[in-house]
Amino acid sequence: MKLLVINGPNINMLGIREPGIYGKQTFSDLLALLERTAREEGLEIQQFQSNHEGEIVDAIQAAYGKADGIVINPAAYTHTSVAILDALKSVAIPAVEVHISNVDAREPFRQLSYPGMYCEKTIKGLGLEGYRQAILYLKEKYGK
Ligand code: CA2
């Protein structure tokens, strides 16, 4: 099974500031978690991080016919990007949305998610563990 994990803007800065909201773990820790999970679960996991909305749209389109599932943390684009929502709809690959923080308990502008309107499930507030849970969900439901 091939999964694509996509992270949006500033996720590469994890652990550097605001540990009270996002925890102390870094982006390198996230990459290590993805590698470890891929190994343990016998999955092929490709990861992509970008600070640019169009590049995220391109990555989703490039997954068409290749990935069996997408795990996506669109970061700030969560709350603004109809383009990412449309890209997910256009490829129709099963997707799970992840948020490191509990966006429900934060500012009102973080309560709306456009990509989440396509995603089967949203996991929030579990830190990096949320990515692992999203991967396990996709494996359980679509694994082959
Ligand atoms: O909780 C999440 O995973 C978010 O997607 C993270 C985004 C935020 O805009 C979303 O509302 C919720 C922010 C990404 C990381 O931003 C940083 C900010 C300060 C220090 C390090 C990273």
Side-chain angles (χ1 to χ4, degrees):
M1 182 183 203
K2 292 183 187 171
L3 298 180
L4 173 63
V5 177
I6 299 175
N7 280 293
N10 300 305
I11 297 287
N12 55 320
M13 302 298 281
L14 276 184
I16 293 174
R17 285 164 56 97
E18 304 205 87
I21 297 175
Y22 300 114
K24 284 187 186 156
Q25 289 186 291
T26 63
F27 185 59
S28 299
D29 293 330
L30 172 57
L31 298 183
L33 177 143
L34 297 178
E35 277 174 24
R36 192 172 64 244
T37 307
R39 211 170 38 244
E40 286 171 358
E41 301 297 329
L43 302 166
E44 202 175 305
I45 300 181
Q46 196 194 333
Q47 77 81 30
F48 178 78
Q49 189 277 329
S50 176
N51 296 324
H52 304 277
E53 186 176 22
E55 286 184 2
I56 294 171
V57 170
D58 289 344
I60 293 168
Q61 290 185 7
Y64 182 68
K66 296 196 181 110
D68 304 302
I70 292 176
V71 173
I72 184 164
N73 183 347
Y77 290 136
T78 303
H79 319 298
T80 60
S81 184
V82 177
I84 293 174
L85 168 62
D86 286 345
L88 290 169
K89 285 182 173 174
S90 77
V91 297
I93 298 169
V96 176
E97 178 184 29
V98 172
H99 293 290
I100 296 163
S101 65
N102 180 12
V103 278
D104 291 343
R106 298 182 63 192
E107 304 94 323
F109 69 83
R110 295 188 203 270
Q111 318 279 311
L112 175 67
S113 169
Y114 287 100
M117 292 173 195
Y118 171 81
C119 293
E120 285 188 21
K121 192 178 166 74
T122 298
I123 298 170
K124 5 182 173 184
L126 299 184
L128 300 191
E129 169 63 16
Y131 290 86
R132 207 179 70 88
Q133 301 234 332
I135 290 164
L136 295 180
Y137 171 86
L138 288 168
K139 182 188 172 190
E140 176 73 24
K141 189 155 177 200
Y142 299 102
K144 48 192 174 193

